[in-house]
Amino acid sequence: NEFRGYLKQIYDYPGGRNIVLVGGRQIEKSTTIASKLLINFELIPNFAQLYIAPRAVQSSVFSKSRFDVLRKSLYNGGIPLEIDQMAFKRSSIGSEIYFRSAYLNADSVRGISADAINVDEIQDILTDNLPVIEECCFHSDYKIKFYSGTQKTPECALNYYWELSTKNEWIIKCNACSKDNILNEKNISPTSLICSFCGKPIYMHDGQWIATGDPDAEFQGYRINQLMVPSVDLKEILNKMKRYSDAQIL
């Protein structure tokens, strides 16, 4: 909607190829993955998707509380299902989704052929496991990859793929001083987002994605922090910054 304009390019990215989404906690990363999974599942016949979380319980919870709940919100619950299991779903048009985990190794995905790979909380998956996972797309004409998570350390898999990306940042131009702002702690006031240069209010709808890395990189990279989410409570953010690391928020 109009309050989440920063998501439009992520959903509409032409070609739908490789995307890496970096964000703080609770910025709707999993909801975005569920929505993209559902769109492909409902609209593309014979299209196979693979969803991976670090642990089995995370994959199961996503299948039931994210994907299933979102699907039930569709008119008549969406297209009919031929198979409806927690770890595997197949629709009447032949589209499929596998729900798997790959914390210590990628054995659970061996033998699966997929057109799109979606990895959630990728920072908790060993970087060495990703080449095995990506081989699931070997025979596909699509070979779509969507990776998301919250940065923990410079060595984690998420940072590895972020460095291979366009590094798009949501940059907001201040209407008062015309300076560009990439949202951080200097943009927080108790009542509104402010320009880090002149202190005047700035507004999310004035922002746009700008590549700060190689525009021709292998992945389209997007960084979303909690300050961008419409439901943000700026006073709460100020309090959380006393206890949490910047990466969990910004």
Side-chain angles (χ1 to χ4, degrees), residues 47-58:
F47 189 81
Q49 301 179 89
L50 174 60
Y51 170 86
I52 297 175
R55 295 173 174 81
V57 65
Q58 292 171 300

Side-chain angles (χ1 to χ4, degrees), residues 2-19:
E2 62 180 312
F3 299 110
R4 290 176 171 82
Y6 54 87
L7 289 176
K8 186 177 188 302
Q9 185 170 318
I10 297 172
Y11 278 92
D12 295 346
Y13 172 58
R17 289 298 186 264
N18 303 332
I19 291 178

Side-chain angles (χ1 to χ4, degrees), residues 34 37-38 40-42 44 46-51 59-72 77 79-100 113:
L37 280 169
L38 183 59
N40 293 335
F41 186 74
E42 294 286 322
I44 307 178
N46 304 311
F47 189 81
Q49 301 179 89
L50 174 60
Y51 170 86
S59 180
S60 298
V61 168
F62 180 91
S63 176
K64 289 181 65 67
S65 68
R66 297 283 187 177
F67 183 82
D68 284 353
V69 169
L70 186 62
R71 187 171 179 277
K72 288 175 182 176
I79 57 177
L81 296 183
E82 292 181 352
I83 300 176
D84 186 8
Q85 301 171 351
M86 190 177 299
F88 177 68
K89 300 180 190 298
R90 178 186 292 145
S91 75
S92 58
I93 62 171
S95 55
E96 299 176 338
I97 302 181
Y98 299 85
F99 298 90
R100 295 292 188 270
S113 294

Side-chain angles (χ1 to χ4, degrees), residues 192-209:
S192 69
L193 295 174
I194 59 172
C195 175
S196 61
F197 299 94
C198 71
K200 300 293 185 181
I202 57 174
Y203 306 97
M204 279 295 301
H205 60 257
D206 289 327
Q208 61 178 322
W209 287 115

